[in-house]
Amino acid sequence: FAWYLGRRHVNSSVMRAASESYLARHDILTKAPNRLYFLEEMRRTIDDAVAQNREFALFVIDLNRFKEINDTLGHPTGDLMIQSIASRLKACVLDRGFVARIGGDEFAMILNDIRHQDEVEGFARDIVESLEAPHHIDERVLQCRCSVGIAIGPRDGSTADELLKAADLALYAVKATPKLSYRFYDAE
């Protein structure tokens, strides 16, 4: 009996540790990786890209005027919209990359093993089209515009922080030009 209780205690400790590890690295609302897990994955991606002499794309995606959804329709509707956005982003990347929710209405995505800038540009258009298509939430049809900043690793930065900064600068440039939906980082 003592052996059984001891084994049960060990099993529950292992399960608790696994649960705590999951919660520390995932967003509760979307079940997507969070900023911490994303930065860990960025470091691995950079190391792999350098070792294999290949490039990858980093997309930082911000939902435009999302606060209006929360303010006018309430946070429960906003939460459902965030879940819908996360689901669509996961469907876009499939097994070619990684999606994380890194802020309230901000997501980041890694697209591995890119070959041409045209491929990345096409993927950015796919992200925008997918997110801007109507979302059916609580018997409402909602639309949400987004802005996407893109950095190419390791060309635009050799660390996760440098690449995030580059993608953020591209994102700010998009937001300053309302007719654009996405933009690549340009050092100039």
Side-chain angles (χ1 to χ4, degrees):
F1 185 70
W3 174 85
Y4 173 74
L5 287 177
R7 182 173 168 88
R8 190 170 155 200
H9 176 72
V10 168
N11 285 343
S12 67
S13 295
V14 169
M15 293 298 288
R16 186 174 40 255
S19 176
E20 288 171 0
S21 176
Y22 179 87
L23 292 173
R25 289 181 163 70
H26 289 82
D27 174 59
I28 300 299
L29 181 62
T30 62
K31 310 292 187 270
N34 63 14
R35 186 177 204 83
L36 173 66
Y37 192 176
F38 176 74
L39 291 172
E40 291 170 356
E41 186 64 25
M42 277 286 294
R43 289 181 196 104
R44 279 190 291 273
T45 301
I46 292 167
D47 290 345
D48 289 349
V50 169
Q52 297 173 16
N53 195 29
R54 62 177 175 79
E55 293 184 321
F56 65 94
L58 167 63
F59 302 84
V60 174
I61 303 144
D62 185 70
L63 307 179
N64 300 342
R65 300 169 62 182
F66 180 76
K67 185 177 181 316
E68 290 177 16
I69 291 174
N70 277 336
D71 290 348
T72 59
L73 301 175
H75 288 277
T77 300
D79 288 351
L80 292 173
M81 185 69 159
I82 289 289
Q83 289 172 333
S84 179
I85 296 286
S87 176
R88 289 184 184 189
L89 288 173
K90 289 174 191 174
C92 283
V93 77
L94 295 175
D95 61 348
R96 285 203 57 203
F98 189 83
V99 177
R101 182 178 180 205
I102 60 172
D105 64 348
E106 192 170 66
F107 291 84
M109 180 184 287
I110 297 170
L111 181 64
N112 288 313
D113 199 21
I114 59 169
R115 291 170 186 80
H116 306 286
Q117 186 158 324
D118 292 346
E119 175 187 12
V120 177
E121 194 165 347
F123 194 78
R125 280 193 302 270
D126 291 347
I127 290 169
V128 171
E129 288 174 14
S130 176
L131 298 188
E132 293 183 358
H135 295 259
H136 299 276
I137 311 266
D138 280 342
E139 299 178 12
R140 291 183 174 101
V141 178
L142 302 177
Q143 288 190 284
C144 186
R145 292 191 40 95
C146 68
S147 298
V148 182
I150 307 165
I152 305 298
R155 179 189 341 155
D156 294 331
S158 59
T159 67
D161 289 337
E162 289 174 355
L163 284 167
L164 273 171
K165 186 176 184 179
D168 278 339
L169 287 170
L171 178 67
Y172 297 141
V174 170
K175 289 188 166 286
T177 312
K179 292 185 180 185
L180 292 179
S181 297
Y182 62 88
R183 186 165 184 171
F184 286 86
Y185 170 74
D186 181 351
E188 292 182 25

